[in-house]
Amino acid sequence: SYVLTQPPSVSVAPGKTASITCGGNNIGSKSVHWYQQKPGQAPVLVVYDDSDRPSGIPERFSGSNSGNAATLTISRVEAGDGADYYCQVWDSSSDSDPYVFGTGTKVTVL
Amino acid sequence: EVQLVESGGGLVQPGGSLRLSCSASGFTFSSYWMSWVRQAPGKGLEWVASIKEEGGKEYYVDSVKGRFTISRDSAKTSLYLQMNSLRAEDSAVYYCARPMYYDILSGLGPLDSWGQGTLVTVSS
């Protein structure tokens, strides 16, 4: 089945930019979605279809996707952005496990 | 406002069964695919199953095929997950979630609405 690899952790100072990568074979040919999850809460969709934002999500959250890596970028990081972030794709080439989540990245705001 | 409320979790012995329910409101339930996603304690997200708008097409993660069954009742605007032959590794918070879309080219879209989750613990 398709594998999405993320760095386990990313640390960033307030006001700076955090970048979270999501690696997968030819992921640039797929639509990538990103979720934010805070402790004890359900995940929240923050970016979908590579770079679109749901209503209510700040413009500070942006995404890109090309080649073998997708990236979620959080600009002007705030303390409240500290959370776990997961990428996700639909792997249409797989009859099993088509709905794939990445391994997750814990973002720590210093 | 979209609302998804799960119920039915609890403690069950290995080999036992449990049926999870998800009550949906705030949107036209019969027009959307629906999904279950789980998260073991301290672990990442794992998609479990998805079902087509009016049923008739389902997808499952390999590890639950033959043991879990996803179903829905449009009249009750409810989603279900029948879990049989439960194992310790099935212990997790189970979330009901709504995919934003299904597209013939892109497949099942992102999950734009989630419930609060219900905890399933499989232990003797």
Side-chain angles (χ1 to χ4, degrees):
Chain A
S1 58
Y2 195 75
V3 176
L4 294 174
T5 302
Q6 300 179 233
S9 63
V10 166
S11 297
V12 58
K16 300 298 186 182
T17 298
S19 294
I20 305 167
T21 57
C22 176
N25 184 36
N26 197 27
I27 194 174
S29 66
K30 304 181 186 301
S31 292
V32 180
H33 319 300
W34 292 90
Y35 302 87
Q36 175 195 69
Q37 186 181 32
K38 297 182 179 180
Q41 298 184 19
V44 172
L45 181 67
V46 292
V47 167
Y48 68 98
D49 291 350
D50 296 341
S51 58
D52 290 335
R53 280 185 312 278
S55 61
I57 300 301
E59 291 184 5
R60 300 185 298 102
F61 289 85
S62 62
S64 62
N65 183 21
S66 177
N68 291 314
T71 302
L72 174 70
T73 302
I74 311 172
S75 304
R76 302 180 299 283
V77 166
E78 301 175 357
D81 297 333
D84 293 330
Y85 291 83
Y86 297 90
C87 57
Q88 178 257 310
V89 301
W90 171 269
D91 180 28
S92 59
S93 66
S94 174
D95 287 336
S96 62
D97 303 0
Y99 210 83
V100 184
F101 284 99
T103 50
T105 298
K106 182 179 183 64
V107 171
T108 299
V109 181
L110 301 172
Chain B
E1 177 194 5
V2 174
Q3 283 204 326
L4 300 170
V5 180
E6 303 95 335
S7 60
L11 175 63
V12 61
Q13 293 189 336
S17 297
L18 212 55
R19 188 196 196 204
L20 305 183
S21 299
C22 170
S23 177
S25 61
F27 65 103
T28 305
F29 181 74
S30 59
S31 296
Y32 287 85
W33 281 66
M34 293 296 294
S35 297
W36 289 98
V37 174
R38 68 184 177 182
Q39 187 171 36
K43 303 297 184 181
L45 300 173
E46 181 183 39
W47 166 79
V48 174
S50 296
I51 186 168
K52 198 174 184 293
E53 297 95 331
E54 295 286 1
K57 179 66 175 178
E58 298 134 34
Y59 292 98
Y60 297 93
V61 67
D62 274 354
S63 59
V64 308
K65 283 179 182 175
R67 300 189 300 123
F68 289 13
T69 302
I70 188 172
S71 63
R72 61 191 297 161
D73 184 332
S74 291
K76 295 182 178 179
T77 63
S78 292
L79 177 72
Y80 306 102
L81 187 67
Q82 178 66 43
M83 305 186 294
N84 299 330
S85 303
L86 282 162
R87 307 166 180 166
E89 54 265 35
D90 295 318
S91 295
V93 173
Y94 284 73
Y95 294 100
C96 165
R98 186 189 79 170
M100 183 184 287
Y101 60 74
Y102 179 82
D103 179 271
I104 191 71
L105 294 177
S106 305
L108 205 54
L111 302 170
D112 64 354
S113 297
W114 296 67
Q116 85 289 346
T118 187
L119 177 63
V120 173
T121 303
V122 184
S123 174
S124 54

